[in-house]
Amino acid sequence: MEYEFHWIIVFQKLPQLLNGAFVTLHVSVLSMLIGITIAVLLAIMKMSKARIVSLPATLWVEIARNTPALFQIYMAYFGLGAFGIHLSPYAAVLSALVFVNAGYLTETFRGGFQAIPKTQYSASKSLGMNSVQIYRYIILPQMFRRIYHPMTNQFVWSILMSSLGILVGMDELSGETQRLQSLSFRTLEFFIVAAVMYFLITKLVLFSAALIARRVFRGDL
Amino acid sequence: MGNSFFTPLSWNDTGFILTGVLNTVTISLVAIIVGTLLGLAVGFIRAEANRFTNILLGGVLDALRSVPLIIQLILFSTYVGAIGHPLDPFVTGSIVLSLYSMAFMSEVFRGGFESVHHSMATAARSLGMSYWQTVAYIRLPIGLRAVFPSWLGVALSVIKDSALVSVIGYMELLRTSEQLISRTQQPLEILIGVGLFYFIVSYPLSLYGRYIERKMAI
């Protein structure tokens, strides 16, 4: 049996799909920003010698890394209902992505921090730098260089995983595609266009990240 | 009480849950094994092939990695349905998940093959080994050892990603739990159980991977 493609319906709905793509980007960017903030805190907690401080951070990291993202979204969407917390699909997907991003980035940040030899602190100190200067000019630039690529990868991962919003009825690219195809039953066409859009979005993100890296790190990466 | 629509979780549900567990394990194993074998072949080709083949092959693999798995699953199962050859959800899921893991594993193995220095293969050839002997006895064992932790990482992510096969109707663990939730209205207990299962499988393996990585670093 041959399948006949009908593309016109899809192109008529392109504005809605682009809206969905915008929501996808929106939720991923937000999940990264909040995730980074939490990850910095968790990384500091994890490096603490007091177990009572490091244990919650370790638990967060291990749960985030060792359970499926879909499970986390279900937990946020259905599970929290048991505590009387009812999140919207957007909030559920956002909080699940934040949870995972924070978990993965904690390890990235900790690795980046520990990769810088302790001797650099003493060297900077002996040059007469105070601790703000040491971090501003010596430690953080090197750290940023090390965590930049893992961070872009995490961002791409967030974009791809936000597609799970389809399962809780969110209006990001996949959910929007699902809704639109159910009106016309051109399932294949709609999802092909969605796939192309995801591909273009991730390529655009990686391309911009490479451009930024070239400007910021001036080639020595 | 007084609500006849919902019946609480009971021991009778054990069989149902176990089917879900078994299905998750089965499809993960299939995808990991097929993905590893294909990834090994593709990774080897990519390490050996010329620029042109690499760009072509790289493009396909890139597409597999840049489109969300859930979209790939829906696309493939809709496609086989549309051309009149609908497949069993297990078969559809296995094919898509295997190709998806192949895309990641081929990069891992390619890195492994390329980590073995040329001079080693040259030395082996000068000892009278044939090309394929060099591959089988020198490049493969050394290269594979180097990338074992990364391979394990991909395998673990395949286990977690197998949860997505529920969208096309395969009764893996998360889908069985979803059905139980809609019957029992006890989302928290059921979801915590599901999360624990994944955690118990994944956590020891990820610890082992980190241990090996540390050991190799020294």
Side-chain angles (χ1 to χ4, degrees), chain B residues 17-201:
Chain B
I17 297 170
L18 278 181
T19 319
V21 169
L22 199 69
N23 284 346
T24 285
V25 172
T26 313
I27 203 160
S28 305
L29 280 181
V30 169
I32 289 171
I33 293 169
V34 178
T36 302
L37 293 176
L38 287 178
L40 204 53
V42 174
F44 181 69
I45 293 171
R46 289 207 73 188
E48 291 291 277
N50 57 29
R51 217 192 169 87
F52 179 71
T53 326
N54 248 325
I55 289 173
L56 217 66
L57 210 53
V60 177
L61 296 171
D62 198 28
L64 283 172
R65 284 191 304 257
S66 314
V67 174
L69 180 60
I70 206 161
I71 303 280
Q72 294 185 31
L73 285 163
I74 295 173
L75 262 182
F76 187 68
S77 82
T78 317
Y79 176 72
V80 291
I83 57 165
H85 297 286
L87 294 171
D88 181 69
F90 172 74
V91 179
T92 314
S94 299
I95 293 174
V96 176
L97 202 57
S98 298
L99 288 178
Y100 185 73
S101 63
M102 175 270 279
F104 288 90
M105 286 184 172
S106 65
E107 280 307 284
V108 168
F109 290 131
R110 179 201 190 178
F113 281 117
E114 285 176 349
S115 76
V116 184
H117 201 268
H118 284 305
S119 59
M120 279 227 237
T122 317
R125 289 302 293 274
S126 74
L127 287 174
M129 283 188 176
S130 73
Y131 174 78
W132 288 109
Q133 279 175 324
T134 316
V135 173
Y137 298 114
I138 309 292
R139 298 176 63 190
L140 203 59
I142 298 173
L144 287 194
R145 211 162 298 171
V147 296
F148 177 73
S150 320
W151 174 84
L152 193 61
V154 175
L156 285 177
S157 73
V158 170
I159 297 176
K160 288 183 281 170
D161 289 337
S162 77
L164 298 190
V165 179
S166 58
V167 256
I168 53 164
Y170 184 57
M171 284 300 268
E172 48 68 68
L173 181 57
L174 217 55
R175 193 176 169 85
T176 52
S177 69
E178 201 192 317
Q179 296 206 343
L180 278 180
I181 288 171
S182 59
R183 202 204 72 209
T184 62
Q185 296 295 305
Q186 293 172 290
L188 197 63
E189 295 90 323
I190 295 170
L191 282 176
I192 287 177
V194 170
L196 266 179
F197 168 78
Y198 282 108
F199 192 81
I200 289 168
V201 172

Side-chain angles (χ1 to χ4, degrees), chain A residues 1 3 62 65-68 70-71 74-75 78-79 83 104 160 163-164 166-167 174 192 198-199 202-203, chain B residues 62 65-68 70-71 75 78 82-83 160 163-164 167 174 178 187-188 191 195 198-199 202-203 206 210:
Chain A
M1 200 162 82
Y3 184 82
E62 296 307 338
R65 286 162 61 113
N66 291 302
T67 52
L70 184 55
F71 158 76
Y74 276 4
M75 205 63 189
F78 302 113
F83 300 110
Y104 275 91
L160 297 182
S163 65
L164 299 186
I166 193 176
L167 295 168
S174 301
I192 289 174
Y198 273 110
F199 184 79
T202 51
K203 286 297 125 192
Chain B
D62 198 28
R65 284 191 304 257
S66 314
V67 174
I70 206 161
I71 303 280
L75 262 182
T78 317
I83 57 165
K160 288 183 281 170
L164 298 190
V167 256
L174 217 55
E178 201 192 317
L188 197 63
L191 282 176
Y198 282 108
F199 192 81
S202 173
Y203 184 58
S206 74
R210 266 177 268 173

